[in-house]
Amino acid sequence: MTLYGYWRSTTSYRVRIALALKGIACKQLSVNLVTGEQVAEGYARLNPAAGVPALVLDDGQVLTQSMAILEWLDETYPSPPLLPSDPLDRARVRAAALGIATDVHPVNNLRVVGRLRSMGHGQGEAVAWMNDWMTRGFTAFSQLIRPDTPFCFGDRPGLADLCLIPQLYNAHRWGCDLAPFGRLTGIETRCLALEAFATARPEAQPDAIPESAPT
Amino acid sequence: MTLYGYWRSTTSYRVRIALALKGIACKQLSVNLVTGEQVAEGYARLNPAAGVPALVLDDGQVLTQSMAILEWLDETYPSPPLLPSDPLDRARVRAAALGIATDVHPVNNLRVVGRLRSMGHGQGEAVAWMNDWMTRGFTAFSQLIRPDTPFCFGDRPGLADLCLIPQLYNAHRWGCDLAPFGRLTGIETRCLALEAFATARPEAQPDAIPESAPT
């Protein structure tokens, strides 16, 4: 299979971690979101939503939307699981993950922030916008996960950790104050010590631009 | 069980449809998003994300995030199913549903639009913002569903329809041009002819305010 993604895309990062955790071999192709490759005709035909990631299976089937891809990966390659088996436990993990995936990431993604800029707001206002949604999201997330486990919900990372770590990457990038979120940065340290997370990091991708200017 | 929601909340609307489709008896309590009841201490203790819906089970367990609640309902009350059984088909339905749930709704919800207003943008700009994200989202959604079935993916409504219909309610409310989306409004007509959708409509809720001013 082939993953179309972008090094700094936090939704691509989620899927990279899942592929690595499950040991799934996958070719990666870069879609440069900054130069607009996601809206070019060839890619838009692959993913009508003009976003990354898209996962193309060996028979040509295309999967889009990171959360749908993660659920598919978990159903198709169940080991190690991203979700627990009990429905109520699954609902709790999904609720925390979706807190990032719906309440934080979409409001802060490149096209939304780009539109804000086009409405006359400077970089400082755009950064304040992003950090405000992250702070609210991390505050809620901290109360939705377990208080005392190595990872969000237990002894190994799962769907919530896969959403948290990329969002924290973005938080560091934009200088979000993480001092109130020691529980989350503790989980981050433990995740990034795992090879699956380390290899999935933006900086470890072939299309990464070292020390690039904020975009 | 008890559903905390709000008549005009499109995420509450999704869950109301699912409960009705599955024939699950559920008490409903209103959380007035316009007067800020979602951030009042009592409710915020129930849902740290300070949003609706929240589903409280008879033993006091609280489920949050509409998409997590819908997955839980489908796992716990499997008939009629909201998702098909084949993993690839499930991924397709989830991708369309998440196109609404992540790319459209979060960017347009009350707190985001309220923040835009607080940044100096008038009602006209706020409405243009909402309609732009809806138009983009409906364009992608139209290409992600099947082209010729009564409902988004077949002969009965599922998770994608449950996300589409509430978003179309919002589109009508804000005057979004739906002329290019005849496939979607056709599905809407068929859905709203079903009792489960009709009873879940915002206007049919006890907390509905008839002819209320836009908020």
Side-chain angles (χ1 to χ4, degrees):
Chain A
M1 58 183 87
T2 303
L3 179 69
Y4 288 77
Y6 183 61
W7 67 291
R8 262 186 172 161
S9 150
T10 59
T11 53
S12 305
Y13 188 1
R14 293 174 195 159
V15 176
R16 291 195 301 259
I17 301 168
L19 291 166
L21 274 174
K22 290 174 179 290
I24 302 168
C26 185
K27 185 178 167 188
Q28 290 195 34
L29 289 178
S30 177
V31 180
N32 192 324
L33 302 184
V34 176
T35 61
E37 287 182 358
Q38 74 280 19
V39 293
E41 201 193 338
Y43 185 74
R45 211 162 29 226
L46 204 68
N47 182 5
V52 288
L55 187 66
V56 181
L57 308 188
D58 292 340
D59 62 0
Q61 307 262 18
V62 183
L63 303 188
T64 62
Q65 286 288 347
S66 64
M67 301 306 283
I69 293 172
L70 293 173
E71 295 270 358
W72 179 83
L73 285 171
D74 213 35
E75 291 174 357
T76 314
Y77 300 86
S79 178
L82 302 180
L83 285 167
S85 54
D86 175 71
L88 203 54
D89 291 337
R90 294 162 71 81
R92 293 242 166 70
V93 174
R94 284 190 179 116
L98 285 160
I100 303 285
T102 67
D103 295 347
V104 181
H105 168 263
V107 195
N108 283 359
N109 78 3
L110 192 62
R111 62 185 161 208
V112 172
V113 174
R115 178 152 178 143
L116 269 186
R117 298 297 302 273
S118 77
M119 289 165 76
H121 297 287
Q123 179 75 356
E125 281 178 299
V127 171
W129 167 284
M130 290 190 283
N131 286 340
D132 182 41
W133 300 118
M134 284 196 271
T135 301
R136 293 185 196 209
F138 291 144
T139 302
F141 188 94
S142 300
Q143 296 171 73
L144 290 168
I145 61 175
R146 290 203 185 149
D148 51 10
T149 45
F151 299 95
C152 290
F153 284 94
D155 291 331
R156 61 183 172 202
L159 191 69
D161 307 271
L162 264 63
C163 289
L164 173 65
I165 302 309
Q167 194 60 56
L168 285 173
Y169 163 78
N170 227 25
H172 293 299
R173 181 179 172 198
W174 298 109
C176 183
D177 179 13
L178 294 174
F181 305 113
R183 165 87 179 118
L184 305 189
T185 52
I187 292 169
E188 182 186 34
T189 301
R190 286 183 284 278
C191 283
L192 292 177
L194 301 176
E195 195 186 340
F197 283 79
T199 58
R201 288 175 71 166
E203 301 86 342
Q205 305 315 304
D207 58 341
I209 301 167
E211 298 288 320
S212 67
T215 48
Chain B
M1 58 182 84
T2 303
L3 179 69
Y4 287 77
Y6 182 61
W7 68 292
R8 263 188 169 158
S9 149
T10 61
T11 52
S12 305
Y13 188 0
R14 294 173 195 160
V15 176
R16 290 195 301 259
I17 302 168
L19 290 166
L21 275 174
K22 290 175 179 290
I24 302 168
C26 186
K27 185 178 168 188
Q28 290 194 35
L29 289 178
S30 177
V31 179
N32 191 323
L33 302 184
V34 177
T35 60
E37 287 183 0
Q38 74 279 22
V39 293
E41 200 193 341
Y43 185 74
R45 206 161 34 225
L46 205 66
N47 182 4
V52 288
L55 187 67
V56 181
L57 308 187
D58 292 340
D59 63 0
Q61 307 263 16
V62 183
L63 304 189
T64 63
Q65 286 288 346
S66 64
M67 300 305 283
I69 292 172
L70 293 173
E71 295 270 359
W72 178 83
L73 284 171
D74 213 35
E75 291 174 356
T76 313
Y77 300 86
S79 178
L82 302 181
L83 285 167
S85 54
D86 175 71
L88 203 54
D89 292 337
R90 293 161 72 81
R92 292 242 168 69
V93 175
R94 283 190 179 116
L98 286 160
I100 303 284
T102 66
D103 294 348
V104 180
H105 168 263
V107 194
N108 284 359
N109 78 5
L110 191 63
R111 63 186 160 208
V112 172
V113 173
R115 177 151 179 149
L116 270 186
R117 297 296 303 272
S118 77
M119 289 164 78
H121 298 287
Q123 179 74 357
E125 282 179 297
V127 171
W129 165 285
M130 290 191 282
N131 285 340
D132 182 43
W133 300 117
M134 284 196 270
T135 301
R136 295 186 196 208
F138 291 145
T139 302
F141 188 92
S142 300
Q143 296 171 73
L144 290 168
I145 62 174
R146 290 204 185 149
D148 51 10
T149 46
F151 298 95
C152 290
F153 285 93
D155 291 332
R156 61 184 174 202
L159 190 69
D161 307 271
L162 264 64
C163 289
L164 173 65
I165 302 309
Q167 194 60 55
L168 285 174
Y169 163 79
N170 227 27
H172 294 297
R173 181 178 173 201
W174 297 111
C176 183
D177 179 13
L178 294 174
F181 305 113
R183 166 86 179 120
L184 306 189
T185 52
I187 293 169
E188 182 186 34
T189 301
R190 287 183 284 279
C191 282
L192 291 177
L194 301 175
E195 195 186 339
F197 283 78
T199 58
R201 290 176 71 165
E203 301 85 343
Q205 304 315 305
D207 56 343
I209 301 168
E211 298 289 316
S212 67
T215 47

